[in-house]
Amino acid sequence: MRITAPSFRLRTAYHVAFSPDSRLVAAVGRDVVWWSVPERRRLGSSRVPSNPSAAAFTSDGRTLVVKNTTGEFLTCDTATGDTLARYAPRGRDEGADPVIAPDGWIVDGSWNGVIRRRDVASLTPTEVWRDDRTMVIGVLCGGNTWAFVLRTRVGTSQPDGSRLNGRILLSRAPLQGQFDEMERRWAHLRSAALSPLGDRLAVRSGATDPVVEIVDVRSGVSLASSTSSFGGTGFDLAWSPDGQYMVLIEDRAFSIRETDTLREIRVVNSEHPASAAFSPDGRLLALGSWSDGIVTSLASVLASPDARG
């Protein structure tokens, strides 16, 4: 389908994020740019750090936290564009996108097998978990639940000898360093996303036959599953605030699904899809693409008669 409803373009955006009040949206491309949603106007941008990969707003929307591909962190004042703080690791420290916790801490994970939290003011990290055999490829928060997406490093093995190298580590907010591991494991675990209430987990896995499934967080039982093509940039997926819908990054398209059944209900075509985010108020959908990102009305997308399958 083609989007014809009133919207505005973000240009290149391989990561998108809304502020908690839905009034700002950030687009990460070669630069980091943030926009006023009501005014559809670009408010500011930052060219540092180089090679940015992800961004997240603090609860009041006044500060934008940016992470780059080497693990460097930076905070920007969204009103002035000024750099507030900056942190550079001693070496390369690639890893998962940062999440702003309900209590204000920044939480991130490293491909070196470390989970950290850091305060917004200084960005100085504090280690809360480590496993040198593991890569932390996702940090998730929903309701009072934290989930960390883990993948065993190439060349290492699980303690029990299992070939299923994908695991989910769980904790409760506030994050204090107490963790439980979900009983369920996956082969070729790609990505995951927690529902807004933290009771369900969407998981993408597989190699030659990729799938997406909805899993009960407490039991690990699969509630729904479906095929899902991989394509675009990465394996991003996003829940709507009411938990009814989900967007998957697929081959040259954004696939919109009902979460109860994972039935595909709409498709937005895109040559290079990369990221998706729902506004916290549930009205808007930001679709990030290497070619042309956009912010548009969710209602208009759902009302479109076009569907695939």
Side-chain angles (χ1 to χ4, degrees):
M1 63 169 283
R2 296 182 60 188
I3 294 176
T4 57
S7 56
F8 64 93
R9 300 286 175 180
L10 299 174
R11 298 183 181 179
T12 299
Y14 42 78
H15 179 90
V16 290
F18 282 97
S19 61
D21 63 3
S22 303
R23 297 184 63 82
L24 301 175
V25 64
V28 178
R30 286 178 295 180
D31 303 334
V32 180
V33 182
W34 54 97
W35 302 69
S36 165
V37 173
E39 300 172 3
R40 303 182 185 183
R41 179 172 65 91
R42 176 171 165 160
L43 294 178
S45 65
S46 176
R47 294 190 173 184
V48 291
S50 60
N51 302 312
S53 57
F57 290 95
T58 54
S59 59
D60 58 9
R62 295 179 180 178
T63 303
L64 184 66
V65 178
V66 181
K67 183 182 181 182
N68 76 354
T69 54
T70 62
E72 184 176 353
F73 276 80
L74 178 141
T75 51
C76 296
D77 186 310
T78 56
T80 66
D82 293 340
T83 297
L84 302 175
R86 194 167 182 173
Y87 170 84
R90 293 182 179 178
R92 291 185 65 88
D93 194 21
E94 298 173 274
D97 295 346
V99 172
I100 309 294
D103 56 8
W105 289 90
I106 304 167
V107 180
D108 67 287
S110 167
W111 291 356
N112 294 322
V114 182
I115 297 170
R116 307 183 184 94
R117 66 177 187 178
R118 56 187 84 213
D119 68 276
V120 174
S122 71
L123 297 177
T124 303
T126 300
E127 185 176 307
V128 295
W129 184 87
R130 173 184 287 271
D131 182 349
D132 294 335
R133 299 165 303 189
T134 298
M135 300 171 65
V136 183
I137 64 171
V139 175
L140 318 170
C141 187
N144 291 320
T145 301
W146 283 96
F148 300 90
V149 186
L150 311 179
R151 193 162 61 208
T152 303
R153 285 175 170 276
V154 175
T156 61
S157 60
Q158 298 283 3
D160 60 3
S162 172
R163 295 183 179 180
L164 302 180
N165 66 350
R167 300 176 289 147
I168 303 293
L169 200 65
L170 299 173
S171 187
R172 304 292 292 178
L175 190 62
Q176 299 289 346
Q178 297 177 338
F179 299 92
D180 296 305
E181 188 173 315
M182 185 180 287
E183 291 186 14
R184 178 77 182 276
R185 292 187 182 181
W186 289 264
H188 304 290
L189 178 58
R190 305 294 185 175
S191 65
L194 266 176
S195 65
L197 295 179
D199 58 341
R200 292 178 292 167
L201 186 72
V203 179
R204 302 188 76 176
S205 63
T208 57
D209 298 307
V211 298
V212 57
E213 60 182 318
I214 304 296
V215 176
D216 180 83
V217 168
R218 289 188 177 182
S219 66
V221 172
S222 180
L223 305 175
S225 64
S226 175
T227 57
S228 172
S229 67
F230 291 159
T233 303
F235 309 96
D236 200 19
L237 64 169
W239 290 79
S240 63
D242 61 7
Q244 285 187 270
Y245 305 108
M246 176 174 296
V247 178
L248 307 179
I249 306 303
E250 297 203 335
D251 186 17
R252 298 187 180 184
F254 297 93
S255 173
I256 302 176
R257 311 284 186 107
E258 293 177 335
T259 57
D260 285 347
T261 63
L262 288 176
R263 182 175 69 93
E264 184 176 73
I265 56 174
R266 295 293 182 273
V267 173
V268 179
N269 297 317
S270 176
E271 189 68 22
H272 305 289
S275 178
F278 291 87
S279 62
D281 64 10
R283 296 186 306 108
L284 301 173
L285 183 61
L287 301 175
S289 166
W290 281 80
S291 52
D292 195 8
I294 192 171
V295 175
T296 192
S297 161
L298 175 60
S300 67
V301 174
L302 296 178
S304 167
D306 299 329
R308 178 175 66 189

